[in-house]
Amino acid sequence: MPGLPQPILRVAVPSPLRRSFDYLPPPDYDGRPLAAGLRVEVPFGRGRAVGVLVQLAERPAVAPERLKRALQILDREPELPPDILELARWASNYYHHPLGEVLATAMPEALRRGKPAAGRGERIWRLTASGRTAAADQLRGAPRQAAVLALLHRHPDGLDMETLRRQPGDWRGALRALSARGWVETGVRRAVHTPAPEPQPVRPTLNTDQRLAVDGVLGALGRFDTFLLYGVTGSGKTEVYLRLIEAALARGQQALVLVPEIGLTPQLVARFQRRLGTTLAVLHSHLSEGERLDAWTAAREGHARVVIGTRSAVFTPLHRPGLLIVDEEHDLSYKQQDGLRYSARDLAVIRGRALAVPVLLASATPSLESLYNAEQQRYRLLQLPERAGAAVHPHMELLDVRSRPMEDGLSEPLLSRIARHLARDGQVLLFLNRRGFAPTLLCHDCGWIAECHRCDAHMTLHHGRQRLRCHHCGAERPVDPACPACGSVDLRPVGQGTERMEAALRRHFPDSGVVRIDRDSTRRKGSMEAKLDSVRRGEARILVGTQMLAKGHHFPDVTLVALVDTDQGLFSADFRASERMAQLVLQVAGRAGRADKPGEVVIQTHHPHHPLLQLLTGQDYLQVARAALQERQEAGLPPYSNLALLRAEAPDPQAPAAFLEEAAALAAARAPAGVEWFGPVPAPMERRQGRYRAQLLLQAPRRADLHRLLAPWVAELEQARCGRKVRWSLDVDPLDMM
Ligand code: ADP
Ligand code: ZN
Ligand code: ZN
């Protein structure tokens, strides 16, 4: 169409550059109206990229002769609705991160890669009705078929290609043979659950506190307000969510529920499914591309009335949003630690404001930030101080282990306590936040310690596989047969990990059945569920595990919870350590006595008089939090100030500091009053994965001052020459100072 004015497409492209790029419409453009939110494929650098149209411009930002044509417009209708574009813009400004990358984070992988938006689900194989009743002895001459049949029996929901590909031998041939017998069929798995027509379970009558909480939020449906629900473990918070979601559904609206990564269990989904009896979309990081796109589309089109998801689900478009809920709002998994370092909890509040819907943040151990916001009247505080139903608070006690004999980290009084609970038919949960057999391998003759070659860290001994593994970079090697420094063969594991604890408990209680739950023991799909089932069925009476056990699980028969070793949390240099410790201890303690059996919690410690431990035994989280807030205020730390952390890393040990020195000089040249900076200093773990790391911390009592510096400063850093020798990133509101 020569002569006609052509719109200029301003496109956000996923790239580290903090700007958008202008293009002419593609050659086959038919003149139809274009809207922001359309995906566009464009030439970029030497390749092509999928970007998002963010604006139509009249005049290009570059010389017209340098303008290139877009390759194609991928959608007829914008995939990203205006409110998601707006949220992405907000995040881009607040986190000082390129808009194209924010939008890429917000989109499901399939859309990011330019695929068409119609979801298709994932292909799976499953048993037919005759396959389910087929007897394996009909397959005596066909061991491969028998093995695949047995595998399918263990996976009633079907097997995806990824799992099948891991099977040894000719599984394809076996599947073909089985399907010729009419025993298996292919199907599609979707991350969208449509309800089975089941009678709805009886809803418990709300207690007074729950009623007040529910009424409080109900009064805000249809407008924006933020609520902080502080409810002790087992107080019936989930029941409160369910009532509120029912109310939103009754108004014809949708609800979005964010849960922590390890809180999104099949039981939770089943509970929501049973109670709400409506179509549910589930979004988490283990979905296949197709499943994720399905769930996302169902939410956007409004077919899924309730969306449950982990962190990135905060970006899920909703057709008729009515309510946003963030469960366990203090959980660290809401903060992304790479790329766009956003807090999904904070974005949920921003999104609720833009959508004019209420936001409910909830936790048994709220973050100090949220409690502070409640104190400042920005959030409305709702409280559930008592456990729901018949359950009562567990009794908590410090076990002074100073100068007591310890074997594999277990003291004599703890062992006899375990024996007592087992004898009374209770179950026992032991918590130790360190996986592997032992955190160090030491030469008893010369003092040599096995270290990671790429990190400033010790290697952890994993006994089961007889290997040393670095928990920071994943490096792995066989255990040294002899000390590389002196040749001695007297190498000893020092310290306790969950593997060692499991072995010790099996020795002490050979008849009780011990189950270990940590990242190593639950790597295989379904193994976590299998382990939890054996606990629920009562076969395993002792549970050992890391913080994977701390959240969400309901073990009605656990009467004793023991925290084996939490002392290191008392002496960390991180100013958030005491908050984290209090949250962890109370969350773990909350697993005890959840039903009608009273619970007991013991904490083994060498510091029984430590003020934090003393406070914790009162189990009054608000009291602990108030003390911690007081300290933060005196030190001028968040939430009484705002932080941004500039990190840099490089294989060259000098480069990060050189870059950060330049960054500090640039900050000095333009920092408004009220902004201070500290460093550069080496990161607490200076070398990691073979790269040296350093950081510069910026702090300001007023958020606006900090952001007034950050925007132009980051633009300058992009241009800085020594910035090319390092990998750098900015973390606004950092939670992890490593
Ligand atoms: P939370 O989410 O705070 O840990 P849940 O909502 O899971 O608590 O409730 C804990 C247990 O108490 C569940 O078994 C739940 O069914 C039960 N429960 C919740 N509210 C009530 C109530 N009002 N009356 C009786 N039981 C309740
Ligand atoms: Zn040695
Ligand atoms: Zn390492």
Side-chain angles (χ1 to χ4, degrees):
M1 288 175 280
L4 279 178
Q6 295 228 29
I8 307 290
L9 314 186
R10 196 149 282 169
V11 180
V13 179
S15 122
L17 300 174
R18 284 167 176 76
R19 44 171 286 235
S20 38
F21 297 84
D22 288 353
Y23 293 90
L24 289 168
D28 61 356
Y29 173 58
D30 56 8
R32 69 192 161 94
L34 300 173
L38 288 168
R39 290 177 304 150
V40 188
E41 190 178 23
V42 295
F44 195 72
R46 263 180 250 148
R48 32 179 73 186
V50 174
V52 175
L53 176 63
V54 289
Q55 201 189 336
L56 290 170
E58 278 168 18
R59 240 169 279 114
V62 294
E65 61 275 16
R66 287 182 52 209
L67 267 186
K68 290 188 185 157
R69 270 190 191 283
L71 299 168
Q72 58 172 320
I73 294 170
L74 294 166
D75 307 310
R76 293 218 55 97
E77 297 294 325
E79 277 308 315
L80 294 166
D83 88 285
I84 296 295
L85 278 182
E86 204 39 55
L87 184 66
R89 270 200 197 95
W90 190 93
S92 168
N93 284 332
Y94 184 82
Y95 294 108
H96 302 274
H97 199 76
L99 180 59
E101 290 201 347
V102 177
L103 288 166
T105 306
M107 274 190 279
E109 171 79 16
L111 293 185
R112 207 182 307 158
R113 298 204 292 126
K115 290 205 178 167
R120 212 157 292 123
E122 181 188 31
R123 210 159 89 105
I124 51 155
W125 289 88
R126 63 179 170 227
L127 293 177
T128 59
S130 56
R132 277 194 291 276
T133 52
D137 54 7
Q138 287 175 260
L139 294 173
R140 204 160 287 141
R144 192 91 303 274
Q145 285 181 51
V148 171
L149 186 72
L151 187 70
L152 286 166
H153 266 295
R154 275 181 302 206
H155 292 87
D157 294 340
L159 278 176
D160 52 43
M161 288 317 227
E162 210 181 302
T163 316
L164 282 165
R165 255 182 240 117
R166 284 200 301 269
Q167 302 308 312
D170 180 21
W171 56 268
R172 279 176 205 277
L175 272 180
R176 264 197 304 274
L178 287 170
S179 88
R181 288 173 190 269
W183 291 358
V184 304
E185 60 185 8
T186 58
V188 167
R189 175 146 71 209
R190 296 176 167 274
V192 179
H193 304 244
T194 28
E198 266 182 69
Q200 283 212 359
V202 190
R203 300 140 95 229
T205 312
L206 296 183
N207 61 37
T208 312
D209 296 318
Q210 284 173 315
R211 185 79 263 162
L212 281 172
V214 169
D215 288 345
V217 184
L218 284 182
L221 285 180
R223 64 182 166 86
F224 168 63
D225 208 342
T226 309
F227 297 88
L228 176 61
L229 175 62
Y230 162 56
V232 299
T233 51
S235 59
K237 295 185 288 299
T238 312
E239 189 58 41
V240 170
Y241 311 161
L242 289 168
R243 295 299 170 100
L244 293 171
I245 295 169
E246 285 170 354
L249 294 177
R251 293 164 59 105
Q253 296 177 317
Q254 293 168 289
L256 171 66
V257 185
L258 299 182
V259 293
E261 237 139 66
I262 54 181
L264 187 47
T265 59
Q267 292 92 284
L268 179 91
V269 174
R271 184 173 172 189
F272 273 66
Q273 185 68 76
R274 266 197 318 275
R275 268 294 292 280
L276 299 169
T278 185
T279 309
L280 218 71
V282 182
L283 286 151
H284 56 79
S285 52
H286 299 298
L287 293 181
S288 70
E289 234 181 60
E291 287 176 315
R292 176 164 278 272
L293 185 56
D294 263 358
W296 194 85
T297 311
R300 201 195 57 176
E301 305 298 325
H303 304 319
R305 309 285 305 281
V306 180
V307 181
I308 305 185
T310 49
R311 184 174 60 225
S312 66
V314 73
F315 291 108
T316 315
L318 298 169
H319 187 62
R320 288 202 61 193
L323 172 68
L324 309 180
I325 296 175
V326 183
D327 182 35
E328 305 290 5
E329 65 86 33
H330 68 282
D331 195 88
L332 286 182
S333 73
Y334 288 126
K335 171 89 180 181
Q336 179 148 304
Q337 301 288 7
D338 54 16
L340 171 65
R341 290 164 169 79
Y342 68 103
S343 156
R345 177 203 53 211
D346 295 348
L347 285 188
V349 176
I350 297 303
R351 192 169 176 199
R353 190 176 62 195
L355 294 174
V357 303
V359 181
L360 177 66
L361 312 178
S363 174
T365 54
S367 63
L368 295 189
E369 278 78 4
S370 293
L371 281 174
Y372 175 72
N373 279 324
E375 206 170 82
Q376 300 289 305
Q377 314 284 320
R378 276 194 287 270
Y379 298 172
R380 251 143 287 293
L381 185 64
L382 307 166
Q383 301 201 47
L384 306 178
E386 298 300 332
R387 285 188 160 186
V392 292
H393 284 296
H395 173 78
M396 191 187 282
E397 180 185 333
L398 299 176
L399 205 61
D400 183 357
V401 293
R402 282 176 300 177
S403 75
R404 282 189 189 275
M406 303 274 280
E407 200 188 316
D408 296 314
L410 300 165
S411 65
E412 187 45 50
L414 177 57
L415 286 169
S416 55
R417 191 96 46 130
I418 294 173
R420 200 163 73 223
H421 279 262
L422 292 176
R424 284 196 219 133
D425 273 347
Q427 284 181 325
V428 175
L429 185 155
L430 288 101
F431 169 80
L432 177 63
N433 218 5
R434 218 180 293 118
R435 61 201 168 88
F437 188 82
T440 28
L441 182 68
L442 169 85
C443 170
H444 190 55
D445 285 326
C446 77
W448 169 87
I449 286 174
E451 279 173 348
C452 178
H453 300 314
R454 304 197 295 162
C455 307
D456 295 331
H458 296 169
M459 296 295 267
T460 298
L461 175 64
H462 285 253
H463 210 60
R465 311 181 50 211
Q466 277 300 307
R467 292 178 77 80
L468 295 171
R469 209 183 291 153
C470 173
H471 287 182
H472 301 281
C473 72
E476 225 187 271
R477 60 178 194 252
V479 174
D480 310 70
C483 171
C486 76
S488 160
V489 291
D490 190 359
L491 298 182
R492 299 186 180 181
V494 178
Q496 330 302 330
T498 45
E499 261 186 34
R500 188 175 207 167
M501 188 111 322
E502 178 192 12
L505 289 160
R506 281 187 198 285
R507 270 200 319 280
H508 284 287
F509 306 100
D511 305 322
S512 292
V514 182
V515 153
R516 169 166 61 93
I517 292 191
D518 55 29
R519 246 197 295 155
D520 300 318
S521 75
T522 56
R523 228 174 274 276
R524 275 208 340 271
K525 214 173 169 179
S527 57
M528 171 95 159
E529 282 314 303
K531 281 168 191 288
L532 292 176
D533 278 345
S534 81
V535 175
R536 280 189 212 105
R537 282 195 306 268
E539 291 157 18
R541 310 281 307 286
I542 303 179
L543 267 138
V544 187
T546 57
Q547 59 175 346
M548 287 183 99
L549 281 180
K551 271 160 239 176
H553 305 293
H554 183 57
F555 305 114
D557 290 326
V558 166
T559 54
L560 173 66
V561 166
L563 293 95
V564 177
D565 180 13
T566 50
D567 279 352
Q568 73 277 22
L570 297 171
F571 301 100
S572 166
D574 186 339
F575 71 86
R576 293 187 207 271
S578 54
E579 175 186 359
R580 300 255 164 86
M581 167 109 174
Q583 289 165 343
L584 197 58
V585 167
L586 293 176
Q587 292 280 352
V588 176
R591 299 311 112 200
R594 297 259 298 181
D596 42 4
K597 298 186 179 181
E600 192 181 358
V601 180
V602 292
I603 304 177
Q604 288 198 126
T605 179
H606 285 91
H607 306 277
H609 303 297
H610 193 286
L612 178 58
L613 282 181
Q614 286 293 335
L615 259 181
L616 277 174
T617 53
Q619 294 180 73
D620 179 353
Y621 180 74
L622 282 193
Q623 204 191 353
V624 182
R626 263 186 224 110
L629 276 172
Q630 177 87 34
E631 280 174 27
R632 299 266 185 99
Q633 183 165 28
E634 280 156 17
L637 288 165
Y640 299 92
S641 69
N642 302 278
L643 301 182
L645 191 64
L646 181 66
R647 297 190 182 88
E649 57 171 57
D652 170 3
Q654 314 301 331
F659 167 72
L660 294 174
E661 290 290 359
E662 187 172 333
L666 289 170
R670 56 161 70 242
V675 180
E676 288 182 286
W677 55 95
F678 306 92
V681 293
M685 180 183 297
E686 185 174 10
R687 199 169 53 106
R688 182 164 172 170
Q689 272 191 303
R691 305 171 75 89
Y692 290 83
R693 305 148 73 230
Q695 55 199 32
L696 180 70
L697 182 68
L698 278 74
Q699 184 174 30
R702 288 183 356 165
R703 175 163 286 153
D705 292 337
L706 185 59
H707 284 261
R708 202 140 34 91
L709 168 65
L710 290 180
W713 189 54
V714 166
E716 283 181 325
L717 293 178
E718 260 180 1
Q719 307 299 323
R721 289 222 6 256
C722 30
R724 304 209 180 111
K725 296 193 189 133
V726 300
R727 221 193 276 163
W728 63 268
S729 62
L730 182 70
D731 191 349
V732 176
D733 304 333
L735 287 183
D736 186 352
M737 309 304 250
M738 297 293 277

